[in-house]
Amino acid sequence: ALERLDRGFRAQRDLTADVAHELRTPLTLLRMRVDALPDRATRNSLKGDIDVMGRIVTQLLAVAELEHLVSDPDESADLRGVCLDVAEHLAPLALGENKGIELVGERGPVWVRGQHAILFQAVRNLAENAVAHTRAGTTVTIEIRPDGAVRVMDRGPGVPTHDRSQLFRRFWSRRGERSAAGAGAGLGLSIVARIAEEYAGAISVHDRSGGGAVFELRLPQIAVANQRVPAP
């Protein structure tokens, strides 16, 4: 019975990955055809919808890939380098929405357990979510801490206390919510939670002083090439 159950889970995972891969090509073709439309307003509206669908496909692929993830306890990544890449990646998106994104905190390497590319996914999802919810004219702050934590802070409406226990569940989202990080599909934050779990880390959310939310991802520190890990 357990073997049949495992085969069922593998088949479901493989189907998710296959469907996501198959959707990429028609979405690309659709975007090319929309770019040729003469009406600019209609073109921009449809391109926005295509971008949403594209993000869902990307998240579905990430979900499928994470199910295959087997972490190495000795692998390490520089958390500051990860966050710097995320800030540079999302700067055009934030500026296009009259918002800012800044990197503060530790100025040197902070070595933590994890792969750079996988941790990039986690921090990017948190930052995309923050950009989607922060008010126009405000700045999303990514703070790197010396203890192996990264805080992503926005000036949005915050997260109600009664929603926090559900927030990191797959496919869960507040009614009517549509965010860049998961396009309303409830995938982005569940991916962050899965990555944190794989690397023996933790993810939490709390209120930000002055309004907004703080998402904090904590990861185990690792000593690398004479890097001294501070005592907790």
Side-chain angles (χ1 to χ4, degrees):
L2 288 175
E3 287 178 0
R4 288 197 300 271
L5 184 62
D6 184 58
R7 285 198 299 270
F9 279 127
R10 286 202 304 270
Q12 183 182 48
R13 179 189 61 212
D14 293 344
L15 176 63
T16 299
D18 290 344
V19 169
H21 275 295
E22 290 298 321
L23 284 172
R24 278 186 159 181
T25 298
L27 280 174
T28 300
L29 294 173
L30 182 59
R31 186 179 183 89
M32 291 172 61
R33 290 170 181 167
V34 166
D35 283 338
L37 291 175
D39 188 320
R40 181 176 180 179
T42 301
R43 184 172 67 241
N44 290 340
S45 176
L46 290 174
K47 284 172 67 174
D49 290 337
I50 293 171
D51 287 342
V52 167
M53 290 187 285
R55 283 192 289 269
I56 293 176
V57 168
T58 299
Q59 298 286 22
L60 285 172
L61 282 171
V63 167
E65 289 168 0
L66 286 172
E67 293 303 321
H68 290 282
L69 179 63
V70 178
S71 62
D72 181 346
D74 294 326
E75 62 192 1
S76 62
D78 173 17
L79 187 59
R80 187 180 188 280
V82 170
C83 294
L84 179 60
D85 286 350
V86 169
E88 291 177 346
H89 177 75
L90 292 180
L93 172 66
L95 292 173
E97 298 182 5
N98 189 29
K99 302 170 183 179
I101 187 164
E102 64 177 357
L103 194 65
V104 302
E106 278 296 295
R107 302 182 66 86
V110 178
W111 295 100
V112 295
R113 182 182 172 194
Q115 297 178 28
H116 185 102
I118 299 298
L119 296 183
F120 177 89
Q121 284 188 51
V123 179
R124 183 194 63 197
N125 283 344
L126 292 177
E128 281 184 340
N129 189 65
V131 169
H133 289 92
T134 203
R135 299 188 305 273
T138 64
T139 297
V140 169
T141 300
I142 302 175
E143 178 189 11
I144 304 105
R145 298 177 61 82
D147 58 359
V150 55
R151 291 180 177 176
V152 179
M153 299 171 278
D154 64 55
R155 287 298 184 189
V159 181
T161 304
H162 58 79
D163 283 340
R164 294 178 188 178
S165 62
Q166 306 292 324
L167 193 61
F168 300 100
R169 290 180 57 186
R170 190 175 297 173
F171 298 115
W172 184 90
S173 61
R174 282 172 282 178
R175 185 182 304 175
E177 181 176 278
R178 181 179 170 120
S179 73
L187 290 171
L189 293 178
S190 71
I191 289 173
V192 179
R194 174 70 181 89
I195 292 171
E197 177 186 24
E198 183 62 33
Y199 290 124
I203 180 70
S204 61
V205 58
H206 54 272
D207 293 330
R208 184 181 186 185
S209 176
V214 178
F215 284 83
E216 182 171 313
L217 174 63
R218 289 189 165 273
L219 297 160
Q221 285 188 280
I222 289 182
V224 176
N226 299 322
Q227 292 286 336
R228 183 169 168 267
V229 177

